[in-house]
Amino acid sequence: MNPIITKILYALLTVFIIWNIGMVLNGFTRKVYARVNKRYGIRIYQPYIDLIKNYSLDTLVYHGVMYYLGPIFRLTSGVGMVLFIPLIYGSEIFSNFSFAGDAILILYFMFFGTLGMALGSNETGQPYSTIGVARGLAQVTAAEVPLVLAFLSVFIQNQSLSISEIVSVQQGGFMHWTMWTNPMATATAMLAYLGSMMRSPFDVVLAPQEIPIGPPTEYHGSFLAILSTNRPIFAVAKTILFVNMFFGGATNWGMFILKATTLYMWSVVTGTIYPRFRVDQSIRFFLKVPLIMGLLSILLLQFM
């Protein structure tokens, strides 16, 4: 078989695997939240049922071209990240389309979906949607400042923009992980990770304790299904990125699932403990401690 076709097929298989991992984690997370609140909660496979139901529904609502493209941009962001992130170190099959400098492209993909979603939601003219978009863009921008600083610190430390090369440096034992060789950057990234996952205390966009706002208010049926398809992919893709950058990557699927699940649960546990911030509190949080830590992580490299 043509090597390019083989590469594409394995890339699609990777997306399918990541989507299923994300769907199971999504159901498990909702179960955890329910049990913490002394409820039984949904069945873990309920997200699959919801997705099938939404894909079976049509909509006659039309708000403009961007309204249709918003969910597509969002899905492209998640799938694009998976396609260019090497999943299993040393595996030619599951290295996907990674290349030298792929870390920069992936950082663009992280913001691409958020921007597309903002443009699509604003197309409706609904004031509640505008409120959600304004909140989301403000928080994402604030959270990405320390995130980029943490990543920049790792790039400087390893003199590389290639995720594969950064993972290779971390092989040989857990003491080689960035978590130990650059703890300040890792701590900064872990705080920024909470903001990127948008769970409590940083779920200022959906704000479930308030009136419904944001993109889910405007999208329903198959549009909502596309968003629901991307949600598990995007969450796991970000988690994989952080595992590769700070926790040594994975050399097999067992290690991959263990590390990804452990890091994913970091945001879940935090969300069950802390109540939601207000928008201004969330933005100020990222522009204080994480921002200072990110700057320190870069300055400390100059004295090492």
Side-chain angles (χ1 to χ4, degrees):
M1 186 179 293
N2 189 299
I4 297 179
I5 296 177
T6 303
K7 194 79 170 177
I8 292 174
L9 291 177
Y10 276 116
L12 293 176
L13 175 62
T14 298
V15 173
F16 180 73
I17 293 173
I18 295 303
W19 174 73
N20 278 282
I21 293 174
M23 290 289 282
V24 173
L25 287 175
N26 185 18
F28 179 73
T29 299
R30 292 166 66 181
K31 192 79 168 179
V32 169
Y33 284 151
R35 290 302 178 89
V36 170
N37 290 281
K38 298 182 179 180
R39 296 182 289 107
Y40 182 77
I42 65 168
R43 297 160 293 189
I44 291 180
Y45 56 84
Q46 185 65 42
Y48 288 97
I49 298 175
D50 295 340
L51 193 63
I52 294 172
K53 180 184 68 176
N54 283 325
Y55 270 118
S56 67
L57 299 176
D58 293 326
T59 178
L60 298 177
V61 176
Y62 178 77
H63 292 293
V65 175
M66 200 62 224
Y67 177 78
Y68 289 105
L69 292 180
I72 302 300
F73 278 26
R74 190 67 170 170
L75 182 60
T76 301
S77 177
V79 172
M81 286 185 66
V82 173
L83 292 180
F84 289 97
I85 296 178
L87 298 187
I88 307 298
Y89 175 73
S91 171
E92 179 66 26
I93 294 175
F94 293 109
S95 63
N96 296 325
F97 297 100
S98 58
F99 61 96
D102 51 8
I104 298 299
L105 175 64
I106 290 168
L107 288 176
Y108 274 108
F109 267 123
M110 288 183 67
F111 192 74
F112 176 78
T114 302
L115 182 60
M117 198 69 259
L119 294 173
S121 297
N122 273 335
E123 189 83 1
T124 66
Q126 168 60 255
Y128 289 152
S129 182
T130 303
I131 293 172
V133 167
R135 288 180 170 188
L137 290 178
Q139 178 174 273
V140 167
T141 303
E144 287 208 351
V145 173
L147 173 65
V148 171
L149 288 175
F151 276 51
L152 183 60
S153 179
V154 177
F155 297 154
I156 295 173
Q157 175 188 357
N158 295 280
Q159 295 295 302
S160 176
L161 295 173
S162 169
I163 295 178
S164 295
E165 291 182 11
I166 292 173
V167 174
S168 68
V169 173
Q170 300 177 71
Q171 302 306 303
F174 70 94
M175 293 303 295
H176 292 86
W177 295 359
T178 306
M179 178 179 68
W180 298 107
T181 60
N182 196 340
M184 188 65 71
T186 304
T188 303
M190 289 302 96
L191 293 176
Y193 175 77
L194 296 177
S196 70
M197 295 297 281
M198 289 193 175
R199 290 196 177 90
S200 184
F202 303 108
D203 55 343
V204 300
V205 178
L206 300 180
Q209 295 86 353
E210 299 179 5
I211 54 176
I213 62 174
T217 304
E218 301 305 317
Y219 287 101
H220 52 279
S222 56
F223 295 118
L224 182 59
I226 295 175
L227 294 178
S228 298
T229 300
N230 173 74
R231 189 170 299 165
I233 295 175
F234 196 37
V236 177
K238 287 184 287 189
T239 303
I240 299 167
L241 176 62
F242 280 76
V243 167
N244 283 332
M245 293 291 292
F246 302 99
F247 301 103
T251 55
N252 55 69
W253 279 104
M255 186 61 66
F256 171 85
I257 294 175
L258 176 62
K259 289 185 177 181
T261 303
T262 302
L263 180 56
Y264 187 93
M265 293 306 295
W266 156 240
S267 66
V268 175
V269 172
T270 303
T272 61
I273 297 174
Y274 293 98
R276 183 175 61 83
F277 283 161
R278 298 194 309 268
V279 181
D280 58 313
Q281 291 175 325
S282 174
I283 294 173
R284 282 201 301 266
F285 174 85
F286 289 114
L287 297 182
K288 287 184 178 179
V289 177
L291 176 60
I292 294 172
M293 292 172 61
L295 292 172
L296 285 175
S297 69
I298 296 177
L299 292 175
L300 288 174
L301 290 176
Q302 310 306 314
F303 301 98
M304 293 177 61

